Amino acid sequence: MKSVFLAAVAVLATIPGVALAQVSGEITVAAYASYYQDNFTKAIVEPFKRKFPEIKVHYFAQFSSAERLGTLRAQKDDPQIDVAIMDVSVARVGNAEGLFAKLDPKKVPSLRELVPAAIVAGEFGPALTFDSFALIYNTARFPVPPTSWKSMWDPRAAKEVVINAPPNIQGLALTIIATKIQGGDYTKSIDPGIALLKSLAPAVQSWSPSPDAYTLVTNGTAVLGTGWNSFSQLRKQQSDGKMGVVIPSEGTVPQIDTINLVAGSKNASAAQVFINYALGAEAQAAMVKALHFTPANAKAVVSPEDLALTAAGMKADILPVDWGYIANARDQWLERWRREVIAGSN
């Protein structure tokens, strides 16, 4: 995966011009709220609207992929969403339930530009971006940056650790890492990881930090927390030095957000024009600059300064993850967190 991250930004080329049929319409794109919405709108939606003025784009903001999945299920017989951006483990569930449609390569020629690891579901929605699991810390309490995930067990962080528990994908990532720290293999058993996380439970202040872990760590309400490198880098820049971010030495879990065409979309042609643009080299490079993701398009031209804020630029150890396996095990892992980990904090 590390080589894929590096390859995604190594090719200095541009997308050949592709003539797309003039398409008009009105689409709704469902994606994340808050900082993602602000930056995605500036980097992708606004330039798209200037390039394709005949297509109107409505942004439907939700905080989690699980919330988006619930909406898509409720609308299955009469979908109001045309394009859904969501993490790969939840998108696999949507594919299995028939909530998404296959993409037409003729309408989405940018598919040919993607790195191999971006093809996560065959002809269905590919990776839009790659992110990385990160540890965030309050710099006043940790003037020397922590280097290990084990820092969450540091006595200085007691009752001041904030974690996004499952069904949030961060909780799934932490399960993988905790199992690895204990010498286990999550595909065989997560018992070692669950035992380690259970020992962390008394130190946890919140399993669903509000408004978010970044704010709590920045203002000192919490000392350590989990986050994604993308948002962490944004919030670090805004924190006036109060919050730091590291990818610990034990490695990180890559997070993949996919972009999906909703089955039964009434505006499928316009939706695929948008998907094609979002997957294109120009848009992908803009996403790296705005949100510090590693691009899925191998031809995205990324500056060294932008690359330095990604996991690729930090030369992080990227742990291999079978997201198909995670999708199937997700409910079981969630139940174990509820019964064994979160219950231990009470």
Side-chain angles (χ1 to χ4, degrees):
M1 180 63 74
K2 186 189 298 184
S3 62
V4 170
F5 270 47
L6 293 170
V9 293
V11 182
L12 300 179
T14 57
I15 289 182
V18 177
L20 296 174
Q22 285 294 324
V23 177
S24 61
E26 191 167 339
I27 64 172
T28 296
V29 178
Y32 302 99
S34 188
Y35 303 98
Y36 187 103
Q37 179 179 3
D38 295 341
N39 287 279
F40 185 86
T41 298
K42 292 176 183 177
I44 305 298
V45 177
E46 291 176 357
F48 174 83
K49 289 164 72 173
R50 289 193 293 270
K51 192 168 185 177
F52 299 94
E54 298 303 314
I55 299 177
K56 295 182 180 180
V57 179
H58 302 285
Y59 191 106
F60 180 55
Q62 294 176 303
F63 283 98
S64 72
S65 294
E67 185 180 0
R68 205 137 41 252
L69 178 64
T71 300
L72 291 169
R73 284 169 168 166
Q75 296 180 357
K76 185 173 183 179
D77 294 333
D78 184 23
Q80 305 301 306
I81 294 170
D82 303 288
V83 177
I85 295 171
M86 56 207 307
D87 78 65
V88 66
S89 66
V90 180
R92 284 179 181 270
V93 176
N95 283 329
E97 295 182 6
L99 298 176
F100 299 128
K102 294 179 180 179
L103 296 174
D104 182 346
K106 294 181 181 178
K107 295 182 178 180
V108 190
S110 291
L111 290 169
R112 296 193 297 267
E113 308 288 347
L114 302 184
V115 297
I119 308 303
V120 294
E123 298 173 279
F124 290 90
L128 174 67
T129 54
F130 298 101
D131 204 353
S132 304
F133 197 42
L135 181 66
I136 58 176
Y137 62 96
N138 182 279
T139 56
R141 298 287 292 278
F142 280 83
V144 177
T147 60
S148 170
W149 290 106
K150 295 177 183 178
S151 300
M152 290 191 288
W153 284 259
D154 190 306
R156 288 176 293 174
K159 288 295 183 183
E160 295 182 284
V161 176
V162 286
I163 292 172
N164 285 291
N168 191 298
I169 193 175
Q170 288 188 30
L172 304 179
L174 189 57
T175 306
I176 295 168
I177 289 172
T179 302
K180 178 182 181 293
I181 288 174
Q182 293 297 90
D185 178 345
Y186 73 90
T187 64
K188 296 178 180 178
S189 173
I190 60 171
D191 288 350
I194 291 294
L196 185 60
L197 292 168
K198 186 176 180 179
S199 72
L200 176 64
V204 175
Q205 180 186 107
S206 173
W207 301 103
S208 182
S210 179
D212 54 62
Y214 314 101
T215 298
L216 299 182
V217 171
T218 297
N219 66 26
T221 301
V223 177
L224 292 173
T226 59
W228 294 113
N229 181 65
S230 168
F231 284 178
S232 299
Q233 295 293 346
L234 287 173
R235 295 305 299 271
K236 176 184 177 181
Q237 294 169 9
Q238 299 167 357
S239 74
D240 194 26
K242 295 177 182 178
M243 193 199 86
V245 52
V246 295
I247 295 182
S249 59
E250 297 93 346
T252 182
V253 170
Q255 189 263 343
I256 300 173
D257 270 325
T258 60
I259 186 165
N260 306 275
L261 173 64
V262 176
S265 165
K266 303 174 184 67
N267 306 281
S269 292
Q272 289 185 93
V273 172
F274 180 85
I275 291 171
N276 181 67
Y277 178 82
L279 292 172
E282 178 183 341
Q284 289 277 302
M287 288 277 279
V288 178
K289 181 173 288 294
L291 282 161
H292 313 302
F293 292 123
T294 298
N297 190 308
K299 294 190 175 182
V301 181
V302 180
S303 72
E305 294 78 15
D306 291 334
L307 176 62
L309 298 179
T310 69
M314 288 184 270
K315 296 181 170 53
D317 185 13
I318 310 298
L319 305 181
V321 177
D322 182 343
W323 289 112
Y325 177 88
I326 299 297
N328 292 331
R330 182 172 171 270
D331 290 343
Q332 182 186 23
W333 287 20
L334 172 57
E335 184 59 27
R336 292 201 64 181
W337 267 78
R338 286 172 174 165
R339 289 188 291 105
E340 302 175 52
V341 179
I342 297 174
S345 61
N346 298 329

